[in-house]
Amino acid sequence: MSGFIFSSESVSEGHPDKVCDFIADSILDAHLEQDPYSHVACEVLCKDEQVVLAGEITSSASVDVESIAREAIREIGYTEGRFHADRVTVHKFLGAQSEHIHRGVVQAGEIGAGDQGLVFGFATRETPELMPLPISLAHGIMRALTKSRKDGRAPWLRPDSKAQVSVRYQDGKPVEVTDVVVSTQHAEGTSQETIRDFVGSELLPKSLGSWWNPAIRQFVNPTGIFAIGGPEGDCGVTGRKIIVDTYGGYARHGGGAFSGKDATKVDRSAAYFARFVARQIVLRGIAECAEIQIAYAIGVPQPISIWVDTRGTGDPGLAAQYARQFDFRPGAIIEQLDLRKPVYRSTTNYGHFGKPGLEWEK
């Protein structure tokens, strides 16, 4: 562990998988706005002119899911080409949640876990937002690129893009950024020289801040032309960017996706709460780094196991003792983090953690 290089990636809101995540979370929020007790598990697939909505929704809300999907696509910026907000065909395969699952999960007013499974939470002193540096920087590049597209600074930019950042660590601490990969969709006819000059002279110095160094190796649109992107260039599906959504691979992932799921699904709510508890461990000085695993059985409120690792930066026994003081029942998590509110569209892009204003980041 004396020295190593670690890499993480982020993707823009126009990436085909993220288009699907954003549509799913937009549909979730639309239901919660009318009925905070909606049960939503919405999956989305996008390809060319086709958008498929599938899953289970039990709610008293009346929502035009097709209009919600089109508006989400328009907000991202797909208003030209084959994948166009006004011209896609929306296929709906949405039913109600299984009554057997509902009865098994909600018993005597107590909410049990919506499924078996495990989740992880993580926090580290590496950055002010208590996130690993590689994923934090990758998200920053994507945010800056999207802002440049939307405010007209680089009008040739198009919605689909991704970035990858490699950071050198020494004795467990980040010391320098070694490599950055940026691939961005662009308008037909945009020269590669224009794109590389923008990335190297404006985007990276601005988004990397104090971590910027002219010696960083840059790989900009390594394949050359990237004029066809988004769901026109690649099929998108919800839940395929779970590492981008969390810690960039620097911490473990339980395997469950977030987007399109209401808070009774512990894949989402318990992962948010595990992050909240990991942050408290670090903020209170119990450890410089904390990783938590929580495991559930379907229909059972109490977790079947809680595990804490401080990666040698603090007393794991003390950290575990502190963590077990929290109430990890799904109903308690929903109340403590106020998860019946329609906040999920704000989580979809550039990571579900490290953003100010979210209840689990307070």
Side-chain angles (χ1 to χ4, degrees), residues 148-220:
S148 295
R149 172 174 63 87
K150 290 189 170 182
D151 66 16
R153 172 65 188 85
W156 43 265
L157 285 170
R158 294 296 180 266
D160 191 1
S161 56
K162 56 174 61 179
Q164 182 174 288
V165 177
S166 300
V167 174
R168 183 186 303 280
Y169 285 75
Q170 193 66 39
D171 298 322
K173 305 290 185 182
V175 294
E176 67 171 337
V177 175
T178 61
D179 301 85
V180 174
V181 184
V182 175
S183 295
T184 181
Q185 185 186 8
H186 56 81
E188 288 278 5
T190 307
S191 72
Q192 295 304 298
E193 182 180 353
T194 296
I195 300 170
R196 293 185 180 116
D197 179 66
F198 169 76
V199 171
S201 64
E202 183 171 336
L203 177 67
L204 295 186
K206 179 180 179 180
S207 57
L208 294 180
S210 62
W211 291 100
W212 163 250
N213 183 334
I216 293 172
R217 289 197 302 172
Q218 301 173 36
F219 301 85
V220 181

Side-chain angles (χ1 to χ4, degrees), residues 262-293:
D262 73 85
T264 62
K265 281 70 174 177
V266 290
D267 280 347
R268 188 168 210 167
S269 56
Y272 289 174
F273 197 64
R275 161 69 176 174
F276 174 79
V277 176
R279 276 178 49 85
Q280 303 315 306
I281 290 172
V282 172
L283 288 170
R284 292 176 181 273
I286 298 172
E288 292 291 298
C289 174
E291 185 175 25
I292 299 175
Q293 185 203 60

Side-chain angles (χ1 to χ4, degrees), residues 91-139:
H91 307 270
K92 290 166 281 188
F93 304 96
L94 296 166
Q97 183 186 50
S98 164
E99 183 59 31
H100 293 167
I101 293 176
H102 178 76
R103 286 203 304 265
V105 170
V106 182
Q107 302 181 43
E110 177 77 284
I111 300 174
D115 200 351
Q116 72 175 47
L118 49 100
V119 300
F120 286 91
F122 182 76
T124 174
R125 284 280 186 193
E126 277 183 25
T127 61
E129 60 272 25
L130 305 186
M131 289 288 287
L133 183 63
I135 188 66
S136 184
L137 293 178
H139 286 327

Side-chain angles (χ1 to χ4, degrees), residues 13-23 44-53 69-90 158-160 185 228-236:
E13 58 203 59
H15 185 283
D17 294 331
K18 275 293 151 196
V19 172
C20 295
D21 286 346
F22 191 59
I23 293 172
V44 182
L45 180 148
C46 294
K47 177 58 181 164
D48 293 333
E49 304 97 339
Q50 310 299 321
V51 175
V52 178
L53 312 177
R70 293 187 189 279
E71 183 54 38
I73 295 167
R74 184 176 295 106
E75 187 174 332
I76 292 167
Y78 283 111
T79 54
E80 58 182 46
R82 293 180 67 187
F83 187 74
H84 189 296
D86 296 327
R87 294 200 289 266
V88 294
T89 300
V90 180
R158 294 296 180 266
D160 191 1
Q185 185 186 8
I228 300 174
E232 184 178 348
D234 192 10
C235 180

Side-chain angles (χ1 to χ4, degrees), residues 327-339:
D327 192 341
F328 288 93
R329 293 174 302 156
I333 290 173
I334 290 169
E335 292 302 318
Q336 182 160 340
L337 298 184
D338 206 7
L339 294 178

